[in-house]
Amino acid sequence: MNFILLLCTIILLTLSIYFYFKNIKLQNSLEKKKKDYEELNTKFIYAGDEALACFWQWNLETDELYLSKGWKSFLGYKEDELDNNFKTFEKLIYPDDFESTMKIVHNYIDGKIDTY
């Protein structure tokens, strides 16, 4: 009986150690992927700005909205005249279109429509 208890304890301890290190490996992998994404995103923004491309990027978690130099210029603004946040986007919507535009935005975020 003691032998079986000892064997089960060893097996459980071995599995615990295995899964502990497996979890660390997954965390490191996730952190590397996040870092790679952030580096790629930074390069994308830099390249787009240098080419004066018109693009914007909205981080739904932080509510930060990045508006490229080209996008601001296309609308007739200098880079420092528009803040990079969603309130800026809302202010630029034509008043008659505001309600329908915001409905589309929220429907897209909620997954009710596939394209925006």
Side-chain angles (χ1 to χ4, degrees):
M1 183 76 165
N2 287 336
F3 175 74
I4 294 174
L5 183 61
L6 178 63
L7 184 60
C8 287
T9 303
I10 292 172
I11 290 172
L12 286 175
L13 183 59
T14 304
L15 287 173
S16 296
I17 292 170
Y18 169 79
F19 285 114
Y20 173 78
F21 285 108
K22 182 88 170 163
N23 187 34
I24 289 175
K25 184 178 177 182
L26 289 174
Q27 286 177 342
N28 289 340
S29 175
L30 182 60
E31 288 173 10
K32 181 176 179 348
K33 287 180 182 181
K34 183 178 179 183
K35 182 181 175 192
D36 290 347
Y37 169 78
E38 289 170 354
E39 288 176 6
L40 184 61
N41 191 44
T42 300
K43 290 177 184 178
F44 170 76
I45 288 172
Y46 179 75
D49 277 346
E50 291 303 309
L52 290 180
C54 298
F55 67 94
W56 57 273
Q57 187 176 42
W58 183 18
N59 183 331
L60 295 174
E61 292 177 1
T62 64
D63 206 32
E64 181 182 9
L65 180 70
Y66 178 79
L67 307 170
S68 72
K69 293 178 192 176
W71 191 88
K72 292 176 182 180
S73 176
F74 181 76
L75 295 177
Y77 294 94
K78 294 179 184 173
E79 184 179 3
D80 61 347
E81 291 181 311
L82 294 176
D83 293 329
N84 286 335
N85 58 53
F86 194 71
K87 293 290 182 202
T88 300
F89 174 77
E90 291 178 324
K91 289 177 191 174
L92 293 172
I93 299 172
Y94 185 70
D96 292 346
D97 296 333
F98 186 82
E99 189 176 324
S100 62
T101 300
M102 294 309 295
K103 182 178 180 180
I104 291 169
V105 168
H106 290 291
N107 283 341
Y108 179 73
I109 291 170
D110 294 339
K112 295 177 181 174
I113 57 175
D114 294 331
T115 56
Y116 171 73

